[in-house]
């Protein structure tokens, strides 16, 4: 028998049953895949989650809706507030303006803007030194920054009032000036700690490559480090603005005259004024609420990405 007559034995391939055919795996999330575990088919779990969301929305949104309703109600009172205004009017805002609410609002904007810029500048410089350099007493300095977050304002109110009345070394009186409120808010331990931890995660290779190109310290901070810290800067900006805007005790002890008050202090003055009603106070509260909402809406993406980056770090 010749070699050409010998044919290789071919093993037949096993037949694949249609029932056993592997189904393609879904690589994209479903339409309703969320952290709450929403399913595509309504059921008891679906109804329970909707109920929980409605309850949470009612708890957090009800006070704001009530404030808005009372601000536009002609004769609002604490015992008759509702979700919808009755006898709607702009009169409450007009009376609040006559009581000087817009002057206090301007004071708050100026102080909040100046204090936030100073706070971010101090926090960035301090965080860069603590995160990207090594020196003696580094841990002690970071601890001192954190300790400032643990001191209640009531504890340091009297010493701070004495210091503002006669600043050591300089011997100047800062009471009755915007600097009397801005300077004490120039350093916040939370912002320093947040930016320090964020800057520590920047790879050292990026900094080494920049130094090989002859980049100096301030250029390194401005062109290399800060662009990578935009999420953390957004968190520090939003929370810092809210903290400064909500200050009550500091503007009170730093003022010499009622015209130096901020809008938060002005609300307490409106509350004790017997000639105005609750509607005027609520109108002032709505005016005081607007800047915080605007800052949050402008920086919400940086805020969410910064919080997410901190949550997934490590």
């Amino acid at each position: 028998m010749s070699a050409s007559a010998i044919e290789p034995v071919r093993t037949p391939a096993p037949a694949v049953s249609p029932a056993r055919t592997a189904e393609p795996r879904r690589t994209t999330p479903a339409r309703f895949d969320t952290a709450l575990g929403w399913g595509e088919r309504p059921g008891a779990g679906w109804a329970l989650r909707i109920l929980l969301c409605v309850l949470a929305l009612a708890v957090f949104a009800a006070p704001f809706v009530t404030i808005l309703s009372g601000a536009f109600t002609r004769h609002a009172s604490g015992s008759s507030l509702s979700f919808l205004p009755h006898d709607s009017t702009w009169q409450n805002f007009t009376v609040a303006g006559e009581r000087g609410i817009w002057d206090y609002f301007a004071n708050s904007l100026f102080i909040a803007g100046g204090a936030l810029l100073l706070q971010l500048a101090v926090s960035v410089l301090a965080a860069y030194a603590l995160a990207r350099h090594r020196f003696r007493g580094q841990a002690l300095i970071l601890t001192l920054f954190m300790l400032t977050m643990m001191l209640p304002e009531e504890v340091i109110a009297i010493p701070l009032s004495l210091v503002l009345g006669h600043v050591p070394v300089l011997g100047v009186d800062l009471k009755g000036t915007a600097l009397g409120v801005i300077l004490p808010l120039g350093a916040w331990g939370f912002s320093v700690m947040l930016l320090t931890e964020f800057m520590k995660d920047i790879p050292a290779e990026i900094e080494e490559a920049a130094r090989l190109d002859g980049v100096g310290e301030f250029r390194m901070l401005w062109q290399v480090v800060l662009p990578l810290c935009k999420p953390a800067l957004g968190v520090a900006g939003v929370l810092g603005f809210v903290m400064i805007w909500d200050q009550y005790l500091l503007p009170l002890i730093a003022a010499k005259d009622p015209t130096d008050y901020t809008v938060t202090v002005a609300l307490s003055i409106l509350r004790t004024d017997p000639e105005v009603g609750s509607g005027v106070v609520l109108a002032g509260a709505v005016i005081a609420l607007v800047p915080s909402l605007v800052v949050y809406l402008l920086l919400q993406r940086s805020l969410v990405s910064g919080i997410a980056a901190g949550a997934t770090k490590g």
Side-chain angles (χ1 to χ4, degrees):
M1 185 180 293
S2 61
S4 59
I6 301 176
E7 296 182 358
V9 179
R10 300 179 181 274
T11 304
V16 179
S17 175
R20 296 183 180 180
T21 303
E23 297 181 356
R25 297 183 62 184
R26 188 182 63 185
T27 57
T28 58
R31 183 179 178 183
F32 295 99
D33 283 349
T34 64
L36 294 176
W38 294 97
E40 296 183 1
R41 297 181 180 179
W46 178 285
L48 179 60
R49 291 181 180 91
I50 291 179
L51 178 61
L52 292 176
C53 290
V54 171
L55 290 177
L57 183 63
V59 169
F60 290 102
F64 297 103
V65 176
T66 304
I67 290 174
L68 287 174
S69 173
F72 290 98
T73 301
R74 186 177 299 274
H75 300 290
S77 63
S79 59
S80 62
L81 294 177
S82 62
F83 291 103
L84 296 176
H86 301 285
D87 194 12
S88 301
T89 181
W90 287 91
Q91 185 65 27
N92 293 328
F93 291 90
T94 303
V95 175
E98 294 174 353
R99 298 290 174 174
I101 191 68
W102 296 113
D103 295 332
Y104 300 127
F105 185 81
N107 291 342
S108 293
L109 281 181
F110 181 78
I111 290 173
L116 182 61
L117 291 177
L118 179 61
Q119 186 179 107
L120 289 178
V122 172
S123 299
V124 166
L125 294 174
Y128 180 72
L130 292 171
R132 311 304 298 182
H133 295 276
R134 296 292 180 266
F135 53 89
R136 288 179 177 269
Q138 185 178 20
L140 177 61
I141 293 176
L142 185 58
T143 302
L144 291 177
F145 273 113
M146 295 178 64
L147 286 176
T148 60
M149 302 169 55
M150 305 176 187
L151 293 175
E153 293 182 353
E154 294 78 9
V155 174
I156 62 175
I158 295 178
L160 184 59
S161 177
L162 296 176
V163 170
L164 292 177
H166 186 79
V167 179
V169 181
L170 299 179
V172 297
D173 185 6
L174 294 181
K175 283 192 173 182
T177 64
L179 287 177
V181 184
I182 292 176
L183 290 180
L185 298 173
W188 190 26
F190 176 80
S191 297
V192 175
M193 181 179 65
L194 173 69
L195 292 172
T196 299
E197 294 301 320
F198 204 91
M199 289 182 184
K200 284 181 179 179
D201 291 338
I202 297 177
E205 292 78 7
I206 298 178
E207 184 176 353
E208 292 173 358
R211 293 194 184 279
L212 290 176
D213 294 335
V215 176
E217 289 294 341
F218 286 100
R219 189 180 173 189
M220 175 76 69
L221 173 62
W222 184 257
Q223 295 184 354
V224 178
V225 176
L226 281 186
L228 298 175
C229 296
K230 287 183 179 179
L233 289 174
V235 177
V238 173
L239 299 183
F241 181 86
V242 173
M243 185 273 290
I244 296 169
W245 187 263
D246 292 341
Q247 286 293 317
Y248 175 80
L249 189 58
L250 179 58
L252 190 62
I253 64 176
K256 281 188 175 180
D257 190 80
T259 57
D260 301 327
Y261 290 159
T262 58
V263 68
T264 52
V265 182
L267 290 178
S268 64
I269 297 176
L270 287 178
R271 183 67 182 86
T272 57
D273 192 339
E275 297 182 3
V276 299
S278 299
V280 178
V281 179
L282 293 177
V286 170
I287 294 173
L289 182 64
V290 170
S292 298
L293 291 178
V294 171
V295 170
Y296 171 74
L297 292 176
L298 292 177
L299 299 177
Q300 62 174 335
R301 290 187 178 181
S302 297
L303 177 66
V304 174
S305 60
I307 294 176
T312 58
K313 185 178 67 175

